[in-house]
């Protein structure tokens, strides 16, 4: 058995774990990262694509955005299609902030490339990862690699191991509430070797269902299609997927061309939030603490925000002996998590007609979408949530007053 000693043991080398470890190292705090998959797998895994302005600023501030600034696609806005109409919502005109298209695996590649070449603190292909001692002062992470048992002794553990990881499961159930919501929709996602459908993202709401035409690069498209959560894989042969995409995106007959499908995934639309996001010396970060339906593209953005807040709380502890920010990590993050969760839920219901939607529902949805596309305060409020600016602002003065002491 081999024993390693570090200040922070990070479980999971997704964007959250790698960013946390990067920030810690930049401020002189030592960490060891333990990852279940191989490096090749992480660099290939296609997931998020849309980054908010705040995320890009975070990456720039950490010296991680050189390639993003060269190759990322800056989008001033997006198209909203419904009822045979095309509206354009420009977040740059509305609130002065664009969004960026840059694949999650590219963020991961940049984070891996930024580590020193002789980096011995990153362990891939870890098997049987287990967390122990989180209620004491000496927590540890044990795993097996190449047949050898390794134990990482640390002061703190950052659980950045996604929705199916071991971190959240290591917290006693009596000390954690996991709020969940399964939406009655799934998405089929296609990665297609063809130029993007339009120069900007197209969110399209059709009586047949929702479709989204996104992209990864000028040569690669990402297309999504709403399906019913009860559907079987066999209900969706390729022919039907393309036909629905064209209809829902309002593509004319003569312009219906297919591209080569490089990858196809099925994405269940669901949400979870674990409260609190910490227990003893274990802190949950990113998808380990919360997942969002992908509609509003919040998961990666909120995950990196969590990682940044936790990194600075840990740096405060090790460099200045501050306990407050670490103790307050969960309380600091949960309002932002719920805000993103609320927007994601609202957008999911707005964009996805239910299987039993009536003509009334459809007309009402059209009225909501029309209001959204009208320049004015609701478009500004929408843009604020879409680019995540609302989460970065201090809370506005509330009109809600305490009822304590009021006469009945
Ligand atoms: P990750 O990326 O899941 O990384 C967790 C890492 O932990 C490893 N792991 C373990 N390691 C050690 N021991 C164990 N027992 C382990 N179990 C797991 C895993 O191998 C993995 O490497 O979580 P992280 O870092 O919190 O990042 C979160 C994001 O991945 C996620 O929120 C986004 O992909 C969500 N998302 C989107 N977010 C956005 O902000 N913008 C988007 O445009 C966007 N689009 C999407 C999305 C998610 C999607 N899917 C597939 C759910 C589009 C889709 C289709
Ligand atoms: C994506 O490209 O994966 C994507 C973009 C925007 C969204 C959701 C997903 O709202």
């Amino acid at each position: 058995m081999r024993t390693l000693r570090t200040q922070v043991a990070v479980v999971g080398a997704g964007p959250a774990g790698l960013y946390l470890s990067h920030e810690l190292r930049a401020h002189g705090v030592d960490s060891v990262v333990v990852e279940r998959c191989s490096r090749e797998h992480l660099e290939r895994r296609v997931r998020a694509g849309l980054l908010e302005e705040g995320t890009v600023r975070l990456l720039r501030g950490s010296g991680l955005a050189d390639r993003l600034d060269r190759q990322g696609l800056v989008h001033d806005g997006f198209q909203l299609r419904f009822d045979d109409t095309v509206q354009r919502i420009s977040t740059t005109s509305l609130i002065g902030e664009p969004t960026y298209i840059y694949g999650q695996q590219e963020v991961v590649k940049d984070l891996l490339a930024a580590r020193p070449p002789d980096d011995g603190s990153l362990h891939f292909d870890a098997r049987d990862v287990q967390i122990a001692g989180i209620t004491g002062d000496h927590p540890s992470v044990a795993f097996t690699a190449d047949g050898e048992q390794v134990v990482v002794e640390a002061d703190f553990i950052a659980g950045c191991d996604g929705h199916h990881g071991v971190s959240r499961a290591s917290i006693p159930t009596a000390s954690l509430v996991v709020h969940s919501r399964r939406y009655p929709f799934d998405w089929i996602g296609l990665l297609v070797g063809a130029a993007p459908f339009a120069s900007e993202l197209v969110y399209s709401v059709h009586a047949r269902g929702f479709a989204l035409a996104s992209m990864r690069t000028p040569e690669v498209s990402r297309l999504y299609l709403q399906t019913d959560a009860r559907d079987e894989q066999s209900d969706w042969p390729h022919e039907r997927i393309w036909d629905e995409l064209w209809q829902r995106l309002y593509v004319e007959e003569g312009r219906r061309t297919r591209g080569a499908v490089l990858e196809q995934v099925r994405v269940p639309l669901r949400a979870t939030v674990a409260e609190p996001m910490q227990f003893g010396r274990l802190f949950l970060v990113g998808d380990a603490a919360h997942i969002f339906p992908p509609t509003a593209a919040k998961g990666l953005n909120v995950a990196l925000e969590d990682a940044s807040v936790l990194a600075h709380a840990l740096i405060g502890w090790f460099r200045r002996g501050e306990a407050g920010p670490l103790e307050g990590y969960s309380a600091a993050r949960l309002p932002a998590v719920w805000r993103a969760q609320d927007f994601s839920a609202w957008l999911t219901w707005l964009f996805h007609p239910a299987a039993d939607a009536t003509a009334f529902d459809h007309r009402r949805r059209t009225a909501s979408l029309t209001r959204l596309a009208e320049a004015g305060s609701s478009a500004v409020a929408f843009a604020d949530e879409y680019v995540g600016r609302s989460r970065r602002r201090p809370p506005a003065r509330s009109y809600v007053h305490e009822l304590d002491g009021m006469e009945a």
Side-chain angles (χ1 to χ4, degrees):
M1 189 181 86
R2 193 152 55 104
T3 304
L4 306 172
R5 167 83 214 142
T6 188
Q7 290 172 303
V8 183
V10 178
V11 186
L18 289 173
Y19 181 73
L20 174 68
S21 169
H22 179 94
E23 276 302 275
L24 293 177
R25 184 158 36 82
H27 292 84
V29 176
D30 189 54
S31 65
V32 166
V33 184
V34 178
E35 164 61 46
R36 192 182 54 176
C37 296
S38 68
R39 179 176 184 139
E40 296 68 41
H41 179 77
L42 297 191
E43 291 189 336
R44 270 203 324 266
R45 186 168 52 192
V46 176
R47 288 180 80 184
L50 185 140
L51 304 183
E52 298 173 347
E53 171 78 11
T55 304
V56 171
R57 272 190 221 155
L58 211 64
L59 294 170
R60 282 195 190 120
S62 305
L64 290 161
D66 288 358
R67 202 161 64 93
L68 193 167
D69 279 327
R70 276 183 281 118
Q71 296 175 9
L73 308 173
V74 184
H75 284 192
D76 289 327
F78 57 86
Q79 284 183 20
L80 190 56
R81 298 190 178 191
F82 57 95
D83 285 346
D84 263 322
T85 61
V86 181
Q87 310 275 348
R88 182 164 181 270
I89 298 191
S90 166
T91 60
T92 304
S93 313
L94 286 162
I95 63 163
E97 291 193 7
T99 49
Y100 300 78
I101 292 292
Y102 192 66
Q104 176 167 331
Q105 77 275 34
E106 305 305 322
V107 174
V108 166
K109 279 186 209 159
D110 294 342
L111 280 158
L112 288 170
R115 300 182 76 91
D118 55 348
D119 182 24
S121 64
L122 184 44
H123 301 264
F124 293 109
D125 299 305
R127 298 276 163 265
D128 305 322
V129 179
Q130 281 170 27
I131 290 175
I134 47 179
T135 49
D137 291 345
H138 303 289
S140 61
V141 177
F143 63 98
T144 318
D146 295 326
E148 187 188 22
Q149 170 85 13
V150 183
V151 177
V152 185
E153 293 177 351
D155 296 301
F156 296 101
I157 299 178
C160 309
D161 48 352
H163 185 60
H164 302 287
V166 289
S167 299
R168 196 179 59 254
S170 306
I171 299 178
T173 47
S175 301
L176 195 72
V177 179
V178 181
H179 302 278
S180 304
R181 152 63 96 171
R182 174 70 161 97
Y183 296 90
F185 320 114
D186 283 0
W187 279 7
I188 291 175
L190 300 184
L191 192 70
V192 177
F197 179 76
S199 60
E200 294 180 325
L201 265 55
V202 178
Y203 293 86
S204 197
V205 184
H206 194 284
R208 304 183 68 86
F210 171 71
L212 165 59
S214 181
M215 63 191 76
R216 286 294 176 271
T217 68
E219 295 82 33
V220 177
S221 303
R222 183 73 158 152
L223 299 168
Y224 295 109
L225 183 75
Q226 170 193 348
T227 62
D228 192 288
R230 293 163 300 189
D231 288 355
E232 302 289 338
Q233 181 100 10
S234 55
D235 293 327
W236 287 96
H238 265 147
E239 198 67 38
R240 182 174 175 207
I241 294 175
W242 282 107
D243 189 53
E244 283 292 330
L245 277 169
W246 290 322
Q247 292 194 59
R248 296 184 194 184
L249 289 164
Y250 303 92
V251 183
E252 296 154 23
E253 296 270 351
R255 300 190 54 233
R256 297 184 168 184
T257 49
R258 291 183 184 198
V261 176
L262 310 174
E263 199 183 295
Q264 179 176 332
V265 285
R266 182 151 178 190
V267 186
L269 264 57
R270 59 199 162 131
T272 58
V273 180
E275 288 187 337
M277 289 168 60
Q278 65 195 84
F279 180 72
R281 291 205 165 214
L282 170 66
F283 297 87
L284 301 178
V285 184
D287 276 21
H290 41 68
I291 51 170
F292 302 88
T295 326
K298 294 298 172 211
L300 172 59
N301 293 292
V302 177
L304 289 179
E305 237 168 54
D306 289 351
S308 170
V309 170
L310 181 61
H312 289 281
L314 287 164
I315 292 160
W317 168 279
F318 286 111
R319 302 294 297 267
R320 299 183 293 278
E322 289 168 9
L326 261 191
E327 286 164 5
Y329 165 73
S330 176
R333 290 307 299 145
L334 282 170
V337 169
W338 279 111
R339 182 142 192 152
Q341 207 64 267
D342 176 44
F343 181 65
S344 301
W346 175 80
L347 201 63
T348 298
W349 288 117
L350 176 64
F351 281 176
H352 296 73
D356 61 354
T358 61
F360 175 91
D361 298 328
H362 189 68
R363 297 271 197 289
R364 219 211 77 238
R365 178 172 281 106
T366 299
S368 295
L369 291 163
T370 307
R371 178 152 43 92
L372 202 65
E374 282 168 4
S377 54
S378 62
V380 169
F382 176 80
D384 246 359
E385 301 295 337
Y386 182 78
V387 305
R389 187 175 72 162
S390 56
R391 297 199 312 279
R392 281 178 275 128
R393 260 198 317 247
R397 229 186 73 216
S398 169
Y399 292 104
V400 181
H401 299 286
E402 296 278 333
L403 287 177
D404 274 8
M406 272 180 82
E407 297 289 318

